[in-house]
Each structure stands twice: as C-alpha cells, then as structure tokens.
Amino acid sequence: MLNDLNLELQGKDKTVVNMISSVNAFKRKLQHLSSKLQRHDLGNFQNLASELETQRKACAQLDIAHYTEQIGTIVSEFNRRFQDFALLEPVATFMCYPFREDVEVDSLASKIATLFHLNSSGVEDEILTLQADIQLKARAHGQQLWNLLTEEKYPNMRTCATFLTALFGSTYLCESAFSHMKIIKSKNRSTMADDHLEVCLRMATSSYCPDYATLADSCQCRSSE
C-alpha cells in the first residue's frame, strides 16, 4: 500500500489537491483495515491468515491489539507529517466546487486570507458574489471555472486559485528537473547558454504542447521574387 501511495504522489500534472485526496484515502484505508482486524476479519491479510492456518491457530488467538496499534502509529505519523494538508483541505474543497450551500463563509475566508495573505473582507465578498452567480454555476467545469473569473470582479479568488494550483505537494518536479539537467548539460553541449537550458528544462518537465497551427498562421511568409 505504501509503495502504491508513493507512486500515486509522483508524476506530472499532480497538484496539491490530488495529493490531499490520495493521502486522505490512504488514511481511511488504514482505519478501515484496523476496524476489520478488531472484528477478526482477515480478508485483507492473506499472509497473516495463511500463517495462522500453518500454525493451526484460530483467529481469536491472534494478538489483534498489537497490529491495530501498529496501524494507529502509521495513521498518527501521517497526521503529523501531512498536517499542512489539513490546513489546505477546506480551501481545496471549496476551490474544487465553490457552489456548496454548506460553506461557512467567515471561517473559509479567514483561512484563505491567512494562507495566501489576502484581505479577509474582500475574500468574503467575492465568495458570496461567486456563489450567487447563476452564469458561472451553469458553466462550472473543474479548473476551467477559474479561467472565467475576471480580474476586476474576482481578484482574490483568482489569486487563491493560482496559488493553490502552483503549490508543490512533493519534490517530484525538483528531482525530475535535476535529473533532466544532468542529461541536457553534457560535455558535448558546452556552449549551451542559460536561456537554452531553461527552455530545454521547461520542455522536459512540462506537458505543455505548443499550438503549431496558430504559430504557423502568425508567421508572415515571403514570396520569392
């Protein structure tokens, strides 16, 4: 399970929202396993069940407290290591779907203002305006929603969405950049300038694909005389 989580937290286009979801799902799975152990249900513990069968022991003879304690320790350690995710989760939940009717505007605005150094009253006003915007509700489709918000009407909400999207949830991109840089800056490319290196790294670590058709149309062709 830990290996699966480790792989899930890596890769391109992983935002902090994806990582919060993955970590929360992992903790819930651990709690579910702990509750099944307390019921002496070994359906998810095939190796443990096989060992009991080999030793010809009943499930009731198993030291359940020892295993549930180990799982509890892992959950506590995850809570400690990912406590920043707990602070971001209410904001991330709102930014994924801002039209929920059970949003506590005062509390949410205070958290957004504290996290991203914004004006709390301005954030409150924009949250209330956004939730009452019928046109935006009809056109709400994930991250595309925030591109519809104008800078003049929703400056704080746009800033919050930008900061939240730009947050690094892991060191994957940094490690990937260093790995690509070692390959790009070889002894055979000693004349490479910093500008070229930056462009090469951006291409290697980003999934951005240029609009070649638009670029070609914008070029003015010279007719041969």
Side-chain angles (χ1 to χ4, degrees), residues 34 37-38 64-76:
S34 180
L37 272 177
Q38 292 172 2
I64 297 294
H66 171 74
Y67 294 101
T68 54
E69 181 182 354
Q70 296 298 319
I71 294 176
T73 301
I74 297 174
V75 173
S76 299

Side-chain angles (χ1 to χ4, degrees), residues 173-192:
L173 281 179
C174 298
E175 295 171 3
S176 177
F178 279 114
S179 298
H180 285 295
M181 187 168 63
K182 287 181 64 178
I183 298 172
I184 294 170
K185 290 185 67 176
S186 65
K187 63 180 181 180
N188 299 320
R189 306 179 75 177
S190 57
T191 59
M192 175 177 287

Side-chain angles (χ1 to χ4, degrees), residues 137-152:
K137 283 184 181 181
R139 302 171 66 185
H141 298 290
Q143 294 183 357
Q144 299 299 323
L145 165 69
W146 303 106
N147 295 330
L148 302 176
L149 270 59
T150 60
E151 183 68 29
E152 296 77 15

Side-chain angles (χ1 to χ4, degrees), residues 100-110 127:
R100 293 170 48 207
E101 296 181 357
D102 60 342
V103 173
E104 297 181 4
V105 177
D106 293 341
S107 175
L108 178 64
S110 177
I127 290 175

